[in-house]
Amino acid sequence: MTYILLAIGFALLIKGADYFVEGSSKIATMLRVPPLLVGLTIVAFGTSSPEATVSIIAAMEGSSEVSLGNVIGSNIFNITLVVGITAMINPLAVETTTIRKEIPFTLLASVALAAVASDIALQMANINSIGRSEGIILLLFFLIFLYYIIEVALNNREPASDVASVTGKGTWGKNLFITLAGLAAIIFGGDLVVDNATKIALSLGMSETLAGLTIVAVGTSLPELITSITAALKKKSEIALGNIVGSNIFNILFVLGISATISPLAVNDKIFTDIALMIILTAVLLIFSRSKFKISKVEGAILAAVYIAYLVYIIFRN
């Protein structure tokens, strides 16, 4: 039964992503905003909902290491395997604003996380944690990001005449329904995959910690993976890359911000290595994006290989 539910979860993820990308890209056209902005907001926040659910519930239950590990593991997975596989399917075109603003903002968010994670450690000897004040700082950064996105959206609207062909009677309701139905399928499918894959892993003798670092982090990132691959197959690279960049910003600033505000997050010394790797990989993503304004298949293969190496490292480390 566990294997059947796992298969159903994957099916919901794949079909849900198809509807979600299709509906959200049409909504972008109807709102007269660039698809990249929808990728950075609606799609990114939607596909990050599993990370938000897992991390916030873990914080409420006092399992703070799960909250932090889930977000950092998911972000590393997004930058390496999600970008890597997506680029190998179809090279990702990168817009100038993404190189100049969005990816650097992701880098800033990663550095901010490193700063707040080590701040308390400097003040309180051996007690490392991200406290409520640090959580509020992360949330303030998130509000700045939202303000920036709204400003860009208002300043980059397309002429109304360009969208007349898709704004027929009933189109708004239909596309909104398709998008929400796709998102619901992604969330429910992702939940089925995480729960049942974890059960299978534990039955095979994996420790709970290792299962959390690998299967939970990967499982909660499956919506980003499936959505970005679907967007790449549909030649909508702006949504694919926007989804990844937006998800990473959302994970660090909103998910960890809310989690830390609910309950201070204990910081294991080992996690600083993962945070440092996340910062380095974000910088690498920026460098790759600047090469001919696209992430090529070769660069995608390099990123995917890095994740495999990272996976081997954390298995032996733990």
Side-chain angles (χ1 to χ4, degrees):
M1 189 62 188
T2 304
Y3 288 93
I4 293 171
L5 289 173
L6 182 64
I8 291 171
F10 276 116
L12 285 170
L13 272 173
I14 293 166
K15 198 61 187 173
D18 185 46
Y19 282 125
F20 191 48
V21 171
E22 193 65 32
S24 59
S25 62
K26 286 183 179 177
I27 287 174
T29 306
M30 295 168 65
L31 289 172
R32 311 199 327 260
V33 299
L36 173 66
L37 291 178
V38 175
L40 282 166
T41 52
I42 299 170
V43 178
F45 298 171
T47 56
S48 283
S49 53
E51 283 96 334
T53 304
V54 169
S55 293
I56 291 169
I57 289 174
M60 291 174 70
E61 294 177 348
S63 303
S64 56
E65 286 189 26
V66 173
S67 296
L68 198 55
N70 175 42
V71 164
I72 294 168
S74 294
N75 280 15
I76 290 172
F77 180 84
N78 287 345
I79 297 169
T80 53
L81 206 63
V82 177
V83 173
I85 291 176
T86 307
M88 284 191 287
I89 292 171
N90 186 36
L92 290 172
V94 187
E95 295 187 11
T96 307
T97 54
T98 304
I99 295 170
R100 286 175 43 241
K101 295 178 180 178
E102 281 89 33
I103 297 178
F105 199 95
T106 311
L107 189 59
L108 175 64
S110 302
V111 172
L113 174 59
V116 298
S118 60
D119 178 53
I120 296 297
L122 292 173
Q123 296 178 31
M124 299 179 64
N126 295 321
I127 303 174
N128 299 355
S129 68
I130 300 175
R132 288 189 174 90
S133 58
E134 284 79 15
I136 292 169
I137 289 170
L138 292 177
L139 288 174
L140 289 174
F141 271 109
F142 181 67
L143 290 176
I144 292 170
F145 173 68
L146 280 185
Y147 175 78
Y148 159 72
I149 288 295
I150 292 168
E151 280 289 304
V152 173
L154 292 175
N155 293 329
N156 289 275
R157 302 194 77 188
E158 300 292 337
S161 59
D162 291 351
V163 298
S165 60
V166 294
T167 54
K169 187 178 179 180
T171 304
W172 268 106
K174 179 183 177 182
N175 288 324
L176 192 59
F177 175 76
I178 288 172
T179 304
L180 292 175
L183 177 59
I186 287 169
I187 295 169
F188 186 59
D191 187 51
L192 281 176
V193 169
V194 172
D195 287 348
N196 291 285
T198 303
K199 286 178 184 177
I200 292 169
L202 294 175
S203 70
L204 294 174
M206 289 177 67
S207 70
E208 204 166 316
T209 302
L210 184 57
L213 280 168
T214 54
I215 291 168
V216 175
V218 171
T220 55
S221 287
L222 279 177
E224 283 93 338
L225 177 62
I226 302 299
T227 301
S228 291
I229 288 174
T230 304
L233 290 170
K234 291 175 178 285
K235 310 293 183 184
K236 300 182 187 294
S237 61
E238 302 97 333
I239 286 181
L241 191 59
N243 169 40
I244 296 158
V245 173
S247 290
N248 281 18
I249 293 171
F250 183 82
N251 286 344
I252 294 172
L253 301 182
F254 181 77
V255 175
L256 286 184
I258 288 288
S259 299
T261 303
I262 292 170
S263 176
L265 304 177
V267 180
N268 188 310
D269 287 339
K270 289 181 180 179
I271 208 73
F272 286 105
T273 303
D274 303 283
I275 294 174
L277 180 62
M278 180 176 66
I279 293 170
I280 292 167
L281 288 170
T282 305
V284 169
L285 180 64
L286 181 59
I287 293 167
F288 282 177
S289 299
R290 291 183 66 87
S291 61
K292 300 179 182 178
F293 294 93
K294 71 174 182 179
I295 299 170
S296 67
K297 292 186 177 184
V298 173
E299 290 166 337
I302 291 170
L303 290 171
V306 167
Y307 184 74
I308 302 302
Y310 171 70
L311 198 59
V312 171
Y313 163 71
I314 60 171
I315 289 172
F316 280 100
R317 184 182 70 180
N318 291 280

